Amino acid sequence: MHFLRPAISSLLLVLFLSVSAQAQSAFTVGTATAAPGQKSTGYLEVPAGIDPASSIPVVVINGARPGKTLALVSGAHGTEYTSIIAIEKLIAAIDPAQLTGIVILVPLVNIQSFELKVPHVNPVDNKSMNRFYPGKADGTQTERASFLITKQIIDRCDYLIDYHGGDLDESLRPYAYWGPTGREEQDRLSKQMVLAFGLDHIIIWRERPTDPAATRYLDNTASVRGKASIVVEAGHAGIVDSDDLALLVNGSLSTMRAMKMLPGDPHPIENPVWIEKLEDVLSEGPGIWYPLVKRGTYVSAGMKLGTITDYFGKTIAEPRAPVTGIILHINAVPSLKKGDNIADIGVPAVHAP
Ligand SMILES: [Zn+2]
């Protein structure tokens, strides 16, 4: 029987080698494959269906040491430029030699929106690219792209950050969303992420779809699948401002430090303004918008937010704040059509969560 022992130990050696090879193996997303210590670029190839194919750029940064996988996704709205440029900066800034774990970066989901300068939707199918998750393999381009992102990125990450900002027609002050799920450990992690990111206004987003087949939003799709995730927003109205950009870049690196993916200490926000309710102010008809308040203004319930005139200059509406709170975003351009979002007002929470 003694000759069985070498056989067992060589079997154990093979097992050991395959486990350590697994921990140190290459990681592939779409056509991007990165070995440990490497950075690789490629595309998520969305196949043609009832409308054209699309190639979504993706970067895999595989750390020198094995660890968790973080996904950073931007540009679902292709004219929210600051969030897109922030990911471009992070592609250059994250050094795989310093990294523990894997970072998947998607700088621009909605390429057609970016190239054609069309806000809010994918001009190919006129759908928002942050409303159709988890997507459909046989749907329109937005749904096929969402399906691929769910399978290739969300299902394979541990943490996710979705980046947005004020679109071409939105004057927005920076803020984050935190969506608690009731699962204690996941909520603790996502709260740690949102605090480490450092944005000073955080919306508590409680009422969200829980059906995994109809999760709607990117971060919610990750969240429902058990991955700690947050949304961050900075930038406004087509302007890439260096302060807004710094908030997103430094916030991302700070979150990665909090998750022990990068060396160094995070710089968490200590006492953010927690927002417990969001009130939309919608336009009742088409017209020309003349705002009276700016993003970040604290308004009282009943305060006039601006004036809407018809095309002859006659005042047709004077929208007022439905609640007391902070103008998180306000329409940045004169154009208004019926149903457009004129402003979002955040109501501060009485108690921090
Ligand atoms: Zn957006």
Side-chain angles (χ1 to χ4, degrees):
M1 293 291 283
H2 67 273
F3 54 80
L4 201 68
R5 294 187 74 131
I8 288 172
S9 51
S10 62
L11 179 67
L12 286 173
L13 183 66
V14 166
L15 276 172
F16 173 76
L17 285 175
S18 65
V19 166
S20 60
Q22 176 107 30
Q24 288 290 317
S25 61
F27 194 87
T28 299
V29 181
T31 63
T33 297
Q38 287 187 348
K39 195 181 288 193
S40 171
T41 66
Y43 292 92
L44 277 176
E45 300 289 2
V46 182
I50 55 175
D51 49 21
S54 172
S55 296
I56 299 172
V58 63
V59 179
V60 176
I61 307 179
N62 196 344
R65 288 163 300 281
K68 301 286 190 185
T69 299
L70 167 69
L72 310 178
V73 182
S74 189
H77 304 128
T79 45
E80 294 175 355
Y81 296 120
T82 303
S83 55
I84 295 159
I85 305 299
I87 300 296
E88 298 294 340
K89 299 281 181 198
L90 287 164
I91 291 169
I94 299 167
D95 176 4
Q98 296 286 314
L99 179 68
T100 298
I102 294 162
V103 187
I104 306 166
L105 303 98
V106 181
L108 181 53
V109 170
N110 193 344
I111 300 150
Q112 291 73 21
S113 155
F114 180 88
E115 290 180 353
L116 299 175
K117 306 176 194 76
V118 173
H120 307 296
V121 296
N122 177 356
V124 172
D125 57 14
N126 214 30
K127 288 175 177 162
S128 166
M129 294 197 83
N130 195 29
R131 295 291 185 281
F132 290 88
Y133 283 94
K136 279 197 283 193
D138 60 351
T140 64
Q141 192 187 81
T142 291
E143 292 164 318
R144 297 195 308 279
S146 302
F147 179 79
L148 204 59
I149 291 169
T150 300
K151 294 288 167 217
Q152 289 262 324
I153 297 176
I154 300 175
D155 281 349
R156 297 166 66 209
C157 73
D158 299 296
Y159 318 124
L160 180 140
I161 305 178
D162 187 17
Y163 295 73
H164 291 263
D167 215 322
L168 285 180
D169 55 353
E170 294 169 337
S171 181
L172 177 144
R173 66 103 57 232
Y175 56 85
Y177 287 96
W178 175 60
T181 61
R183 291 185 291 273
E184 207 174 312
E185 176 59 10
Q186 187 183 336
D187 292 349
R188 187 191 67 75
L189 282 170
S190 58
K191 193 173 172 187
Q192 186 186 6
M193 287 170 71
V194 81
L195 292 173
F197 204 97
L199 297 176
D200 61 4
H201 284 55
I202 304 172
I203 299 166
I204 308 162
W205 195 3
R206 289 190 194 278
E207 269 141 49
R208 305 207 292 172
T210 53
D211 174 3
T215 43
R216 204 165 152 79
Y217 311 100
L218 170 71
D219 76 299
N220 189 50
T221 306
S223 188
V224 164
R225 283 162 175 73
K227 290 107 198 283
S229 59
I230 60 171
V231 181
V232 294
E233 305 225 8
H236 57 97
I239 298 162
V240 183
D241 176 273
S242 56
D243 285 353
D244 286 334
L245 197 54
L247 287 175
L248 295 183
V249 173
N250 295 338
S252 305
L253 296 173
S254 177
T255 301
M256 291 176 67
R257 291 187 184 108
M259 309 319 272
K260 306 288 181 212
M261 297 181 76
L262 286 178
D265 293 325
H267 52 84
I269 185 87
E270 279 187 23
N271 290 295
V273 176
W274 293 96
I275 306 278
E276 66 182 357
K277 197 169 103 176
L278 214 54
E279 283 280 347
D280 292 335
V281 181
L282 302 179
S283 176
E284 287 169 18
I288 301 176
W289 169 238
Y290 297 88
L292 283 172
V293 296
K294 292 183 172 172
R295 64 200 168 98
T297 306
Y298 194 88
V299 295
S300 292
M303 190 182 277
K304 192 162 48 162
L305 301 175
T307 302
I308 303 172
T309 71
D310 64 15
Y311 300 131
F312 305 106
K314 181 171 159 267
T315 297
I316 53 172
E318 292 182 329
R320 289 172 186 273
V323 287
T324 296
I326 299 143
I327 301 282
L328 293 176
H329 105 261
I330 186 152
N331 188 49
V333 294
S335 315
L336 276 183
K337 65 178 187 326
K338 186 175 168 56
D340 275 357
N341 200 347
I342 295 173
D344 269 330
I345 301 173
V347 179
V350 179
H351 302 289

